Amino acid sequence: MAAERDAEGFTAARPLLTDLYQATMALGYWRAGRARDAAEFELFFRRCPFGGGFALAAGLRDCVRFLRAFRLQDADVQFLASVLPPDTDPAFFEHLRALDCSGVTVRALPEGSLAFPGVPLLQVSGPLLLVQLLETPLLCLVSYASLVATNAARLRLIAGPDKRLLEMGLRRAQGPDGGLTASTYSYLGGFDSSSNTLAGQLRGVPVAGTLAHSFVTSFLGSEVPPDPMLAPAAGEGPRVDLTVSVKLWLERVCAHLGLEVQEPHPGERAAFVAYALAFPQAFQGLLDSYSVRRSGLPNFLAVALALGELGYRAVGVRLDSGDLLQQSKEIRGVFRTTAAQFQVPWLESLSIAVSNNIDEEELARLAQEGSEVNLIGIGTSLVTCPQQPSLGCVYKLVSVGGQPRMKLTEDPEKQTLPGSKAAFRLLGSDGSLLLDLLQLAEEPPPQAGQELRVWPRGAQEPCTVKPAQVEPLLRLWLQEGQLCEQLPSLAECRAFVQRSLSCLSPAHRRLQSPELYQVALSEKLQALVDSLSAGGSP
């Protein structure tokens, strides 16, 4: 099976991105003559992250790409030979060299689906040795992607639909792969853009960014632009010396604000002029390198008004320190009075962007009613997921040779659900989510309008439910290595996330102390669990 040859393919996991015990088990299966036994594993999580009531399934595209490209190279096999026992039969390594995923079938929740504990994110079936080897890389590709997408969705819910959210956590991310994953799946979860240009190149994530404090502080004010002349935006009329125009506007702005013309920092002004000459259509000022009120704001206004005379419209300003909410209100007030003073109404509505270690609590404050903040940049608290750094996904064997397998353990939470399964989402007549149902694959699917007896997880008694709608959850993406349907684009998955969240009740969607969403078992699956738990035969 040929691997996909495109730029994004370089970001896929490699077969040896795995734990050594996968290779030792592979040798054990091979020696026992069980390498080609038909097996099925399920990848799922046990608890929703961050104390919330939902998660988002993410990483499917990466998994499919990894599986379609899976092949151990000679160097991979040689390395495994160096860490396995020296008397290992060479025929085992020939078996490894021949492995690909042409016998692997994957069913999964579509990218961006609402996901709940115990419901498989992926079902992976194929030869036992091979699907065992896939455990660690698939967990690696799904767990963090789903976690950061869920974190981004929570932040989007706090911010509301109107605030623009920028992911800017690459410098804080856990390595380059973690940074690319965070940028990709924060966009899926609801962010508008990322500062990560590689995510733009490889994944199509919209990218955004302007300037840092280092750019501003690198100027002293004595610098002379090699070409300070700027033509009008319409392309007609004489070019204007922007530095001269800015100085004239600064005098008027300072008089309006009650400042001495010497107060605004000349280096900051020179930096703003340099940036405006480079980006006259997209000028944005970073206001807090020195003093927002006495320097950053008047310098920005002088440059923005000089550009305005030439028909250009500044984008806005950014704040990176201090009380962001209070400062944004003060800045909006200055924009309004300045717009009235100089009869430039466009100035009132310029964007105010903020950043500076923003977490859920601070985001809620910035998004409150009456806030003047338009764009919020979030880095560390998004990409590192400090409230819960791991989703805790697991990959468990549920069937071998068509026979169900169940893990029994001293910890009831770690018991697995046996057998090859189907999953359905039951909905009410208004489209609200009632519960997710797990049943054995051999059972007929539930029907809309038909009353069902089901066993909610953890309940001692069954209950009845009568769905108005039934949605199959697990779709067939790979069948014996072949792609069954085109994977949706990242932007399409992002839109799907928002539609899915809108169907979740406010009680399940709230971020603190949510009502737990029910996942239930069919009577036949519950009977199988009870039988195997008691030591019976499947």
Side-chain angles (χ1 to χ4, degrees):
M1 182 173 53
E4 294 184 11
R5 303 295 184 187
D6 58 58
E8 191 179 352
F10 289 112
T11 67
R14 295 169 57 178
L16 286 199
L17 186 69
T18 191
D19 297 304
L20 180 60
Y21 83 159
Q22 308 293 2
T24 60
M25 285 189 286
L27 177 56
Y29 288 138
W30 186 82
R31 285 292 303 272
R34 307 194 60 204
R36 293 184 172 86
D37 286 4
E40 183 171 333
F41 285 79
E42 291 180 349
L43 191 156
F44 60 93
F45 60 90
R46 296 188 174 105
R47 293 184 182 180
C48 291
F50 313 118
F54 69 89
L56 295 180
L60 174 61
R61 185 182 186 88
D62 294 335
C63 290
V64 169
R65 190 174 295 275
F66 165 69
L67 294 172
R68 298 190 74 199
F70 184 94
R71 196 69 186 250
L72 278 84
Q73 304 301 312
D74 286 344
D76 300 331
V77 177
Q78 289 167 12
F79 177 78
L80 290 176
S82 75
V83 295
L84 290 174
D87 60 350
T88 301
D89 189 332
F92 170 67
F93 298 112
E94 292 308 309
H95 182 84
L96 294 183
R97 282 188 174 89
L99 287 178
D100 62 24
C101 289
S102 57
V104 172
T105 294
V106 174
R107 291 176 173 83
L109 295 179
E111 192 92 281
S113 296
L114 288 172
F116 300 100
V119 178
L121 306 182
L122 270 74
Q123 292 174 327
V124 184
S125 57
L128 177 58
L129 181 153
L130 175 58
V131 291
Q132 180 73 70
L133 281 176
L134 299 176
E135 174 181 7
T136 302
L138 291 180
L139 284 169
C140 183
L141 290 170
V142 169
S143 296
Y144 179 60
S146 299
L147 185 73
V148 78
T150 306
N151 197 21
R154 289 172 61 89
L155 294 166
R156 170 50 73 191
L157 288 171
I158 294 170
D162 298 327
K163 304 294 183 188
R164 299 198 306 280
L165 297 178
L166 167 67
E167 178 274 316
M168 47 187 294
L170 181 57
R171 64 188 62 192
R172 303 283 189 256
Q174 289 92 338
D177 292 331
L180 182 60
T181 299
S183 299
T184 302
Y185 293 103
S186 61
Y187 178 65
L188 180 142
F191 272 56
D192 296 287
S193 55
S194 170
S195 66
N196 186 343
T197 55
L198 188 62
Q201 180 192 29
L202 296 183
R203 303 296 181 86
V205 177
V207 294
T210 52
L211 68 162
H213 292 104
S214 56
F215 183 86
V216 176
T217 58
S218 72
F219 288 81
L220 295 174
S222 56
E223 297 84 2
V224 178
D227 182 8
M229 308 301 290
L230 187 63
E236 298 178 359
R239 299 171 76 219
V240 172
D241 187 325
L242 189 63
T243 58
V244 172
S245 180
V246 167
K247 287 179 182 179
L248 294 174
W249 270 109
L250 183 66
E251 293 177 5
R252 300 175 68 184
V253 167
C254 285
H256 168 63
L257 298 179
L259 298 171
E260 296 295 328
V261 75
Q262 295 83 10
E263 290 186 68
H265 197 288
E268 180 180 57
R269 186 162 61 256
F272 287 177
V273 168
Y275 198 81
L277 287 168
F279 299 97
Q281 302 279 9
F283 171 62
Q284 184 176 20
L286 177 59
L287 301 189
D288 62 331
S289 298
Y290 300 108
S291 166
V292 173
R293 182 73 174 79
R294 292 183 292 105
S295 184
L297 190 51
N299 276 330
F300 167 79
L301 288 170
V303 176
L305 290 165
L307 287 172
E309 278 191 320
L310 293 170
Y312 300 100
R313 296 290 180 263
V315 171
V317 298
R318 180 164 74 91
L319 298 167
D320 192 49
S321 61
D323 187 331
L324 302 174
L325 181 64
Q326 182 59 35
Q327 288 184 96
S328 66
K329 291 180 178 180
E330 293 171 358
I331 289 168
R332 184 68 69 199
V334 171
F335 283 173
R336 289 179 178 134
T337 62
T338 305
Q341 174 70 23
F342 299 115
Q343 298 183 344
V344 283
W346 54 265
L347 189 61
E348 289 189 39
S349 58
L350 291 186
S351 174
I352 299 176
V354 298
S355 56
N356 188 25
N357 293 321
I358 293 169
D359 56 15
E360 286 191 359
E361 183 178 355
E362 178 65 7
L363 178 60
R365 183 169 173 266
L366 294 171
Q368 66 185 255
E369 186 175 353
S371 170
E372 296 291 350
V373 173
N374 305 108
L375 186 149
I376 302 164
I378 305 179
T380 304
S381 66
L382 173 58
V383 305
T384 66
C385 302
Q387 290 189 70
Q388 182 178 325
S390 172
L391 180 54
C393 286
V394 293
Y395 182 89
K396 297 300 180 183
L397 181 68
V398 297
S399 173
V400 178
Q403 296 299 306
R405 294 292 187 268
M406 180 178 181
K407 176 185 175 184
L408 295 174
T409 175
E410 301 298 326
D411 185 350
E413 186 184 42
K414 290 194 170 185
Q415 289 186 358
T416 59
L417 296 174
S420 181
K421 291 179 281 297
F424 299 90
R425 184 154 291 162
L426 309 186
L427 297 91
S429 56
D430 59 353
S432 61
L433 278 59
L434 301 178
L435 59 81
D436 283 6
L437 176 67
L438 296 174
Q439 63 178 50
L440 294 172
E442 65 206 42
E443 297 183 67
Q447 300 297 314
Q450 174 184 312
E451 194 170 87
L452 300 169
R453 271 170 55 92
V454 300
W455 286 80
R457 299 293 305 274
Q460 300 301 311
E461 298 290 337
C463 67
T464 59
V465 62
K466 187 176 181 179
Q469 304 174 56
V470 177
E471 292 182 355
L473 288 177
L474 299 166
R475 285 163 61 174
L476 182 64
W477 297 100
L478 282 184
Q479 185 163 33
E480 296 187 344
Q482 297 301 309
L483 191 64
C484 297
E485 63 175 294
Q486 193 65 36
L487 290 161
S489 70
L490 186 60
E492 290 170 330
C493 294
R494 180 179 182 272
F496 176 57
V497 166
Q498 299 309 313
R499 292 196 303 272
S500 299
L501 285 170
S502 69
C503 296
L504 196 59
S505 73
H508 293 128
R509 195 168 59 231
R510 67 174 177 249
L511 305 186
Q512 305 298 327
S513 303
E515 183 179 322
L516 295 181
Y517 181 81
Q518 280 194 340
V519 174
L521 311 185
S522 69
E523 287 196 287
K524 190 169 184 179
L525 177 55
Q526 183 65 50
L528 177 61
V529 170
D530 292 341
S531 173
L532 294 180
S533 298
S537 303

